[in-house]
Amino acid sequence: MISLLLVDDQPLIRRGMRALLKADSKLQVVGEAENGQEAIAQVESLHPAVVLMDVRMPIKDGVAATREIGQRFPDTKVLILTTFDDEAYVRQALQYGASGYLLKDTPFEELTQAIRLVHRGYTQLGPGIASKLMQAPPPNTAQSSFAWADLTPREQEILQLIAQGASNREIAQTLYISEKTVRNHVTNILTRLNLRDRTQAAIFVHSHRPIS
């Protein structure tokens, strides 16, 4: 059972989401919040596995709440679910630790699948979201390109597989190496590129990988 916290400033949206999610026996809504500040308090008391987080909310928005949840409660995954697909929102939310970014028109089956994948550690981006990240690379592109070139070919392979959402086991099977070796490579990659987690690694690849 995957425990969920619904965060949205519109009660009608939360009520509708709760009703829909009841149809999936593997998901359980354990709480609701109407802004980012309430969300943080609910995460602290309820320890949900996944937070479905809106972006624009009063008092504390979803991006700021995602950042604090990522810092204080690393075991809780945040999946952004919003109507806003602005590139700045997407990039900032992912950089602050969101495990995915979906729009509210996502079909129910795709949403529940995304929740499961995020819970397992994958990054989930809605259609068109990844292209927004690639179309508008952030500053320090030259420095990041140098960092990419400074990686070994094996590290570049692993980083690209991370960006595709592959787990350590899947990377090990693809490259015919052990999971322990993959974990060591991932740790080295994150350290050398000054990245916090696999989500930031995926953003790095989409934004800075040289076009061959």
Side-chain angles (χ1 to χ4, degrees):
M1 184 76 71
I2 301 174
S3 56
L4 304 173
L5 175 67
L6 306 182
V7 186
D8 196 293
D9 62 335
Q10 299 185 44
L12 188 60
I13 296 294
R14 298 198 308 272
R15 191 176 304 128
M17 287 295 300
R18 180 183 281 271
L20 281 172
L21 292 168
K22 278 184 178 179
D24 193 314
S25 61
K26 300 297 184 182
L27 306 178
Q28 180 183 22
V29 177
V30 295
E32 299 180 14
E34 63 180 9
N35 57 62
Q37 184 170 301
E38 284 188 8
I40 293 166
Q42 292 277 44
V43 170
E44 185 172 18
S45 62
L46 299 174
H47 306 290
V50 178
V51 177
L52 296 183
M53 180 81 75
D54 194 11
V55 170
R56 289 188 181 176
M57 295 179 291
I59 303 177
K60 185 186 287 286
D61 65 30
V63 173
T66 295
R67 183 178 191 178
E68 187 165 344
I69 289 170
Q71 292 172 340
R72 296 178 55 191
F73 312 102
D75 292 335
T76 295
K77 308 294 185 182
V78 176
L79 176 58
I80 300 295
L81 185 63
T82 184
T83 57
F84 304 101
D85 63 349
D86 180 86
E87 182 270 333
Y89 279 131
V90 176
R91 186 178 299 283
Q92 197 171 33
L94 294 175
Q95 288 177 338
Y96 285 165
S99 296
Y101 200 109
L102 300 179
L103 299 182
K104 287 180 178 177
D105 60 0
T106 301
F108 177 70
E109 294 77 12
E110 294 181 19
L111 172 61
T112 55
Q113 178 69 1
I115 291 171
R116 289 182 171 85
L117 290 172
V118 163
H119 182 247
R120 291 169 54 191
Y122 291 90
T123 300
Q124 293 294 293
L125 299 178
I129 299 297
S131 63
K132 287 181 176 293
L133 297 176
M134 290 185 282
Q135 289 168 3
N140 300 325
T141 301
Q143 179 180 353
S144 296
S145 296
F146 172 79
W148 171 270
D150 202 38
L151 297 174
T152 67
R154 175 63 84 195
E155 288 171 338
Q156 291 177 4
E157 286 180 313
I158 291 174
L159 191 51
Q160 292 188 74
L161 288 169
I162 289 174
Q164 294 169 18
S167 66
N168 285 350
R169 176 176 296 181
E170 291 167 335
I171 294 172
Q173 292 173 344
T174 299
L175 300 180
Y176 301 101
I177 56 179
S178 70
E179 284 190 60
K180 181 178 179 182
T181 299
V182 174
R183 287 195 297 270
N184 290 338
H185 277 305
V186 171
T187 298
N188 290 337
I189 290 167
L190 296 179
T191 299
R192 292 175 66 181
L193 298 181
N194 194 29
L195 302 173
R196 183 180 60 248
D197 52 30
R198 297 170 82 95
T199 301
Q200 286 197 345
I203 296 171
F204 175 90
V205 173
H206 287 309
S207 300
H208 302 299
R209 179 180 53 194
I211 300 175
S212 48

